[in-house]
Coordinates of all heavy atoms in Angstrom, one line a residue:
Chain B
E501 N 80.7 102.9 101.9 CA 80.1 102.1 100.8 C 81.0 102.3 99.5 O 81.6 103.3 99.3 CB 78.8 102.8 100.4 CG 77.8 102.6 101.5 CD 76.3 103.0 101.1 OE1 76.2 103.5 100.0 OE2 75.4 102.9 102.0
Q502 N 81.2 101.1 98.9 CA 82.2 101.1 97.8 C 81.3 100.6 96.5 O 80.6 99.6 96.5 CB 83.2 100.1 98.1 CG 84.4 99.9 97.1 CD 85.5 99.1 97.6 OE1 85.6 98.8 98.8 NE2 86.3 98.8 96.7
H503 N 81.7 101.2 95.4 CA 81.1 100.9 94.1 C 82.1 101.0 92.9 O 82.9 101.9 93.0 CB 79.9 101.9 93.8 CG 78.9 101.8 94.8 ND1 77.9 100.7 94.9 CD2 78.6 102.6 95.9 CE1 77.2 100.9 95.9 NE2 77.5 102.1 96.5
P504 N 82.1 100.2 91.9 CA 81.1 99.1 91.8 C 81.6 97.8 92.5 O 82.7 97.9 92.9 CB 81.1 98.8 90.3 CG 82.4 99.2 89.8 CD 82.8 100.4 90.7
S505 N 80.8 96.8 92.6 CA 81.3 95.6 93.3 C 82.2 94.8 92.4 O 83.1 94.0 92.7 CB 80.1 94.7 93.8 OG 79.2 94.5 92.7
T506 N 81.9 94.9 91.0 CA 82.7 94.3 90.0 C 83.0 95.2 88.9 O 82.1 96.0 88.6 CB 82.1 93.0 89.4 OG1 80.8 93.3 88.9 CG2 81.9 91.9 90.5
L507 N 84.2 95.1 88.2 CA 84.5 96.1 87.2 C 85.4 95.3 86.2 O 86.5 94.8 86.6 CB 85.2 97.3 87.8 CG 85.7 98.4 86.9 CD1 84.6 99.0 86.1 CD2 86.5 99.4 87.6
S508 N 85.0 95.4 85.0 CA 85.9 94.8 83.9 C 86.4 96.0 82.9 O 85.6 96.8 82.5 CB 85.1 93.8 83.1 OG 84.8 92.6 83.9
V509 N 87.7 95.9 82.8 CA 88.3 97.0 81.9 C 89.2 96.4 80.9 O 90.0 95.4 81.2 CB 89.1 98.0 82.9 CG1 89.8 99.0 82.1 CG2 88.1 98.6 83.8
Q510 N 89.2 96.9 79.7 CA 90.2 96.5 78.7 C 91.5 96.9 79.1 O 91.7 98.0 79.6 CB 89.7 97.1 77.4 CG 90.2 96.4 76.1 CD 89.4 95.1 75.9 OE1 88.3 95.0 76.2 NE2 90.1 94.1 75.4
E511 N 92.4 96.0 78.8 CA 93.9 96.3 79.1 C 94.3 97.6 78.4 O 94.0 97.9 77.3 CB 94.8 95.2 78.7 CG 96.3 95.4 79.0 CD 97.1 94.2 78.6 OE1 96.6 93.2 78.1 OE2 98.4 94.3 78.6
G512 N 94.9 98.5 79.3 CA 95.4 99.8 78.7 C 94.4 100.9 79.0 O 94.8 102.1 79.0
D513 N 93.2 100.6 79.3 CA 92.2 101.6 79.7 C 92.3 101.9 81.2 O 93.1 101.3 81.9 CB 90.8 101.1 79.4 CG 90.4 101.1 77.9 OD1 91.3 101.6 77.1 OD2 89.4 100.5 77.5
S514 N 91.5 102.9 81.6 CA 91.6 103.4 83.0 C 90.5 102.7 83.8 O 89.4 102.4 83.3 CB 91.5 104.9 83.2 OG 92.5 105.5 82.5
A515 N 90.6 102.6 85.1 CA 89.7 102.0 86.0 C 89.5 103.0 87.2 O 90.4 103.6 87.7 CB 90.1 100.7 86.6
V516 N 88.2 103.2 87.6 CA 87.9 104.1 88.7 C 87.0 103.4 89.7 O 86.0 102.8 89.3 CB 87.2 105.4 88.2 CG1 86.9 106.3 89.4 CG2 88.1 106.1 87.2
I517 N 87.4 103.4 90.9 CA 86.6 102.8 92.0 C 86.2 103.9 93.0 O 87.1 104.6 93.4 CB 87.3 101.6 92.6 CG1 87.7 100.6 91.7 CG2 86.5 101.0 93.8 CD1 88.7 99.5 92.2
K518 N 84.9 104.0 93.4 CA 84.5 105.1 94.3 C 84.0 104.6 95.6 O 83.4 103.5 95.8 CB 83.4 105.8 93.6 CG 83.8 106.5 92.3 CD 82.7 107.2 91.6 CE 83.1 107.8 90.4 NZ 82.0 108.6 89.7
C519 N 84.3 105.3 96.7 CA 83.9 105.1 98.0 C 83.3 106.3 98.7 O 83.8 107.4 98.4 CB 85.0 104.5 98.9 SG 85.5 102.8 98.4
T520 N 82.2 106.1 99.4 CA 81.7 107.2 100.2 C 81.7 106.8 101.7 O 81.7 105.6 102.0 CB 80.2 107.5 99.9 OG1 79.4 106.3 100.1 CG2 80.1 107.9 98.4
Y521 N 81.8 107.8 102.5 CA 81.9 107.6 104.0 C 81.0 108.4 104.7 O 80.5 109.4 104.1 CB 83.3 107.7 104.5 CG 83.9 109.1 104.4 CD1 83.9 110.0 105.4 CD2 84.5 109.5 103.2 CE1 84.5 111.3 105.2 CE2 85.1 110.8 103.0 CZ 85.1 111.7 104.0 OH 85.6 112.9 103.9
S522 N 80.5 108.1 105.8 CA 79.4 108.8 106.6 C 79.9 109.8 107.6 O 79.3 110.8 107.9 CB 78.5 107.7 107.1 OG 79.2 107.0 108.1

Side-chain angles (χ1 to χ4, degrees):
Chain B
E501 295 190 358
Q502 184 171 348
H503 300 280
S505 56
T506 60
L507 178 62
S508 294
V509 174
Q510 204 72 36
E511 182 179 352
D513 288 350
S514 297
V516 180
I517 302 170
K518 297 180 180 180
C519 288
T520 60
Y521 59 99
S522 60

